Amino acid sequence: DAGVIQSPRHEVTEMGQEVTLRCKLISGHNSLFWYRQTMMRGLELLIYFNNNVPIDDSGMPEDRFSAKMPNASFSTLKIQPSEPRDSAVYFCASSQGLAGGSGELFFGEGSRLTVL
Amino acid sequence: GDSVTQMEGPVTLSEEAFLTINCTYTATGYPSLFWYVQYPGEGLQLLLKATKADDKGSNKGFEATYRKETTSFHLEKGSVQVSDSAVYFCALLNFGNEKLTFGTGTRLTIIP
């Protein structure tokens, strides 16, 4: 079974450009998490969805960031306009739902974003 | 709120050395505890877990015991290998929650 698939793996863009990161969940998973990882701030949860519904977006830095789940297997994270401080590795992770205590998140390989 | 504190890194050890990475937590109730590992260029993956006090999680030669009295979940391995070089994250999940609380990660480098 394929794991969580993220694209693009690497993105280099200029300040002010729109960036769209994509994620395909593992089949059968119903929870989706977007994380950002930097050396300075470590691993940060940006937003998570359960059954396509955004549950907690308190980690989204500001209005320039938006995330959607148009269907049960796919999500996008958009940054518009991008800024150099958005440079980071963005991870998508899915699960069958953590509330039961299993705790297993399945991470994609990440999208490394560089904003010049 | 819930929180996880890990020992500061980076940690550098010689091959076959004994490894301990400390992790303590603060949480209400009775959380489940986890260690995730991130190999270079990859996402995190679950290494081991323990769901109640005195449980021991183990995988790939790594072990961690859920100690409620000391609110700790230290990661240990008796003889590390170069392939164990990675970043290790301690995490907790309170029952009924949907979000894992991660520590800051500890970078481990094993030299031959």
Side-chain angles (χ1 to χ4, degrees):
Chain A
D1 192 12
V4 174
I5 299 172
Q6 291 188 245
S7 64
R9 291 295 312 278
H10 302 273
E11 174 97 3
V12 180
T13 191
E14 293 188 344
M15 183 173 64
Q17 296 299 304
E18 178 178 296
V19 173
T20 300
L21 307 178
R22 297 173 176 80
C23 174
K24 184 176 186 302
L25 284 68
I26 292 173
S27 177
H29 284 190
N30 61 353
S31 294
L32 181 283
F33 301 77
W34 280 102
Y35 286 88
R36 178 172 68 178
Q37 186 177 38
T38 61
M39 290 294 292
M40 291 297 295
R41 296 186 298 270
L43 193 65
E44 303 172 280
L45 176 63
L46 301 178
I47 185 171
Y48 80 92
F49 295 81
N50 192 29
N51 293 322
N52 304 2
V53 177
I55 303 299
D56 184 350
D57 65 354
S58 59
M60 295 286 264
E62 48 199 270
D63 291 346
R64 296 185 298 107
F65 285 68
S66 63
K68 294 182 180 178
M69 270 197 85
N71 58 56
S73 60
F74 184 73
S75 177
T76 59
L77 178 67
K78 186 175 293 187
I79 309 172
Q80 166 62 17
S82 59
E83 298 182 1
R85 60 194 167 119
D86 302 330
S87 298
V89 181
Y90 291 81
F91 288 102
C92 170
S94 72
S95 77
Q96 291 181 314
L98 299 183
S102 75
E104 184 155 17
L105 280 181
F106 293 81
F107 282 76
E109 293 187 312
S111 294
R112 180 175 294 277
L113 173 65
T114 304
V115 183
L116 303 174
Chain B
D2 298 343
S3 66
V4 174
T5 302
Q6 290 183 233
M7 66 185 288
E8 291 284 329
V11 174
T12 302
L13 295 172
S14 296
E15 205 166 21
E16 299 184 3
F18 183 85
L19 168 71
T20 300
I21 299 178
N22 289 339
C23 171
T24 58
Y25 68 90
T26 301
T28 56
Y30 303 96
S32 295
L33 301 174
F34 309 87
W35 278 100
Y36 275 76
V37 59
Q38 182 180 25
Y39 298 105
E42 298 183 10
L44 283 70
Q45 57 185 270
L46 181 64
L47 178 60
L48 54 83
K49 70 178 185 181
T51 57
K52 61 183 188 296
D54 300 325
D55 268 2
K56 177 185 286 187
S58 61
N59 186 24
K60 299 182 180 181
F62 289 89
E63 293 182 339
T65 301
Y66 188 162
R67 302 287 189 197
K68 190 171 185 298
E69 63 275 13
T70 54
T71 62
S72 65
F73 193 54
H74 304 322
L75 183 68
E76 296 182 335
K77 186 174 185 182
S79 176
V80 292
Q81 306 300 313
V82 172
S83 57
D84 294 326
S85 298
V87 181
Y88 292 82
F89 292 87
C90 187
L92 71 82
L93 179 69
N94 247 321
F95 190 81
N97 284 354
E98 286 281 344
K99 297 188 296 183
L100 281 167
T101 299
F102 283 98
T104 53
T106 301
R107 181 175 299 276
L108 173 67
T109 302
I110 307 301
I111 52 177

